[in-house]
Amino acid sequence: MNPARIFLPLFAAASLTSAVADDRPNILFILADDLGWRDLACYGNKFYETPNLDRLSEEGMRFTQAYAPAPICSASRAAFLTGKTPARLGFEFVTKNEPGFQPVDASLRAPAFTLNLSTEEKTIAEVLAEAGYETAFFGKWHLNRHHGRYLGWSPTHGPPAQGFLHATEDFGSHPYSYWNKKEQRKFSPKIEHAMLPEDGMTGHAIRFLRGKHERPFFLMVSHFWVHTPVHTRAKWLHDRVLKRIPDTHPRRGELAQYGAMVETLDHHVGELLAALKAAGLEKNTLVVFTSDNGGHPEYFGNAPLRGSKWNLYEGGIRVPFLVRLSAVIPPGTICETPVAGVDLLPTFAEVAEAAEADLPSDLDGKSILPLLQKPDAEFSERDLFWHFPYYHPEGKKYDDAPEKIGIDDGFTSKTKPNSVIRSGPWKLIRFYESGVGDELYHLPADLSEQKNRAASEPEIFGKLRGRLDAYLNQCGARMPVPNPAWQKND
């Protein structure tokens, strides 16, 4: 790898060369929590106003087929940071307080819970630190068993143990920060019109940007927005969003609260980007914004995509993905090539001119730098894989959940253990329970995944099934097994 030979000519107009100081780009990675593919105005949302993220899209590149590595938080974050799929990592679900198995009355038993991202895995932060970057992390981690409190960082497996030099825990102004105080679960008269509470987590990131930097930096800002609890204390914002939602919408109240959270997220991203510009860092900073998984089904609903967070239909894994680097990406560029969250580690490594020998040899991701340079560039077709050998929801909620996973129906439906391969226009979903048939979809003609072509396209089905099985076997994926405690209901 010699990325400097590829990358530096693009900066010629800006007079950037390796002969002058260390002018490698800074990297700002902004990760939203549970933000759906259609939640932003720049992705077609008609109810919510997101001017700051829309501007980021207008100034850079918007990807239409970007995917989170998993349909659930911890698994996705582990894959973002390592460039490896949850199947390869053996980290496919969320962290828990204690080891054990899912409390689900079902025919299969999912693998045991993974509690921590192993410190033996090399993260983006560790790769970039070795390349000479200053590293910082603020926000939601969720990659270790809860320490001291819900989502608390472990001293042995938290960000400082995974390559981040600067890191501070803070819920910010997200409802997590006050949800244990029931008297605060209401509109606050202290919040004036057109004002929002200061977000401590964003404040930490802004102070880092304003600091002195003698070398390029990698800053990861991991928002808690828009994860549940879905709530705003700003009545003016709630009421403004509510006016845009038709009176006839069955979830109008929920969508107003959720929309207020989306617009709050946009506001804090705007604060961060404004600080970047004020510090004179905007032109030489690669900014990447995306979400850890698809949106919650009980709120905006992800239509026209089927499914949601927790399952592997498009609504659970297709996410917003915006990239800006002014010296490289022309404003208002759109890229329709499928990309995935596991691509970030190799991409950032190439931008940072990290030594190839410093990268893990078993990465699943691929640098998307060629697409940033030219969105219609030839990008050798490759298979993308997902593996979710778990059930959702857990406990009695699983028994009560609807069987069918629909489109914008407002329900958290049953997710059963399954894996996915996407190859070109085709997507195969393999289910592991006996009697649950596999599904094959042609996404360009069937984005909502309504017409199962498994029976009508046996040759394509067979090839994809074979490649999916081979991949899972090659990376030692953990599989669901017969549940010894299951009592079949005749």
Side-chain angles (χ1 to χ4, degrees):
M1 174 190 294
N2 191 1
R5 302 287 72 79
I6 299 173
F7 204 68
L8 286 175
L10 297 164
F11 290 89
S15 299
L16 295 175
T17 69
S18 55
V20 189
D22 192 342
D23 285 317
R24 292 175 296 170
N26 305 305
I27 300 171
L28 170 57
F29 175 33
I30 307 171
L31 184 63
D33 195 351
D34 285 5
L35 187 73
W37 184 61
R38 292 294 296 274
D39 285 348
L40 305 181
C42 58
Y43 277 88
N45 195 293
K46 303 301 183 184
F47 297 160
Y48 307 150
E49 294 180 353
T50 51
N52 295 296
L53 287 163
D54 296 349
R55 188 179 308 113
L56 184 64
S57 173
E58 292 164 3
E59 294 172 348
M61 183 177 293
R62 176 170 63 87
F63 285 77
T64 63
Q65 298 190 77
Y67 289 97
I72 198 166
C73 180
S74 300
S76 195
R77 292 164 188 270
F80 272 122
L81 282 173
T82 62
K84 301 179 185 180
T85 66
R88 190 176 300 280
L89 291 170
F91 200 155
E92 315 91 344
F93 203 60
V94 291
T95 57
K96 297 284 186 175
N97 282 324
E98 301 295 337
F101 296 91
Q102 280 194 305
V104 175
D105 184 22
S107 62
L108 298 178
R109 186 175 73 180
F113 297 130
T114 299
L115 302 183
N116 303 294
L117 175 62
S118 171
T119 53
E120 295 182 4
E121 295 291 345
K122 199 167 192 177
T123 67
I124 292 175
E126 290 167 321
V127 169
L128 297 186
E130 290 177 359
Y133 272 59
E134 184 181 9
T135 58
F137 181 95
F138 304 105
K140 183 174 180 177
W141 182 243
H142 209 183
L143 288 171
N144 58 250
R145 62 194 301 179
H146 307 300
H147 182 77
R149 60 169 173 80
Y150 180 63
L151 298 178
W153 295 0
S154 161
T156 57
H157 292 83
Q162 303 278 15
F164 289 99
L165 178 63
H166 308 280
T168 305
E169 284 192 80
D170 195 333
F171 280 142
S173 59
H174 184 276
Y176 279 143
S177 67
Y178 60 82
W179 207 245
N180 289 334
K181 303 174 182 178
K182 292 186 179 180
E183 69 276 7
Q184 294 190 25
R185 299 182 191 178
K186 58 185 179 181
F187 297 131
S188 172
K190 297 180 180 180
I191 300 175
E192 299 177 6
H193 181 77
M195 300 295 290
L196 288 171
E198 181 179 341
D199 186 72
M201 189 274 287
T202 300
H204 291 304
I206 288 174
R207 284 189 288 276
F208 173 81
L209 290 176
R210 290 173 176 168
K212 185 178 180 181
H213 303 286
E214 297 180 349
R215 50 190 172 130
F217 61 77
F218 167 58
L219 169 59
M220 182 171 175
V221 179
S222 181
H223 280 282
F224 294 93
W225 309 94
V226 292
H227 195 285
T228 54
V230 171
H231 184 260
T232 181
R233 291 187 287 181
K235 186 177 187 303
W236 69 267
L237 180 57
H238 168 273
D239 292 350
R240 187 178 76 174
V241 176
L242 187 68
K243 289 178 180 177
R244 304 190 206 113
I245 303 171
D247 293 343
T248 56
H249 198 291
R251 301 192 307 279
R252 187 170 183 250
E254 291 88 344
L255 262 62
Q257 288 280 356
Y258 183 72
M261 291 190 74
V262 171
E263 295 193 14
T264 300
L265 167 68
D266 180 79
H267 170 76
H268 294 313
V269 171
E271 291 181 314
L272 190 64
L273 296 179
L276 187 73
K277 183 175 182 178
L281 300 169
E282 182 180 62
K283 290 185 178 180
N284 195 35
T285 298
L286 171 66
V287 179
V288 175
F289 173 89
T290 190
S291 177
D292 63 345
N293 47 248
H296 195 296
E298 296 171 19
Y299 297 97
F300 191 71
N302 305 305
L305 306 182
R306 181 181 181 185
S308 65
K309 172 185 180 178
W310 299 307
N311 59 68
L312 293 177
Y313 291 107
E314 292 292 289
I317 52 177
R318 192 178 288 215
V319 291
F321 194 90
L322 307 173
V323 184
R324 185 184 72 188
L325 184 56
S326 58
V328 176
I329 303 171
T333 307
I334 296 175
C335 183
E336 298 182 352
T337 301
V339 297
V342 291
D343 295 332
L344 290 185
L345 186 149
T347 302
F348 292 170
E350 186 168 8
V351 169
E353 303 174 28
E356 189 170 7
D358 290 338
L359 303 186
S361 60
D362 55 348
L363 291 178
D364 290 295
K366 175 180 179 179
S367 174
I368 63 170
L369 185 56
L371 294 175
L372 302 185
Q373 297 165 353
K374 188 179 179 184
D376 57 354
E378 287 191 16
F379 197 68
S380 56
E381 197 167 285
R382 42 122 182 215
D383 295 335
L384 298 176
F385 299 96
W386 291 265
H387 184 54
F388 190 74
Y390 286 82
Y391 290 91
H392 188 273
E394 298 178 280
K396 189 177 185 304
K397 289 183 178 180
Y398 181 80
D399 300 335
D400 298 337
E403 284 284 343
K404 181 176 175 57
I405 296 175
I407 302 172
D408 194 17
D409 56 12
F411 296 114
T412 298
S413 304
K414 287 181 179 177
T415 295
K416 301 179 179 182
N418 65 120
S419 303
V420 163
I421 176 174
R422 167 150 186 196
S423 183
W426 294 98
K427 177 179 177 180
L428 170 71
I429 306 177
R430 178 188 177 188
F431 290 95
Y432 293 100
E433 275 196 354
S434 176
V436 180
D438 294 346
E439 299 173 7
L440 178 68
Y441 298 104
H442 186 263
L443 293 178
D446 185 17
L447 183 60
S448 299
E449 296 171 287
Q450 297 295 292
K451 185 177 181 180
N452 183 3
R453 302 194 185 191
S456 62
E457 299 285 354
E459 184 176 352
I460 294 172
F461 174 86
K463 287 180 179 179
L464 294 189
R465 173 66 184 269
R467 295 214 295 269
L468 175 59
D469 290 348
Y471 171 78
L472 294 173
N473 182 65
Q474 179 268 329
C475 66
R478 305 191 304 168
M479 293 293 181
V481 298
N483 183 0
W486 185 55
Q487 300 296 321
K488 184 176 180 180
N489 298 317
D490 296 324

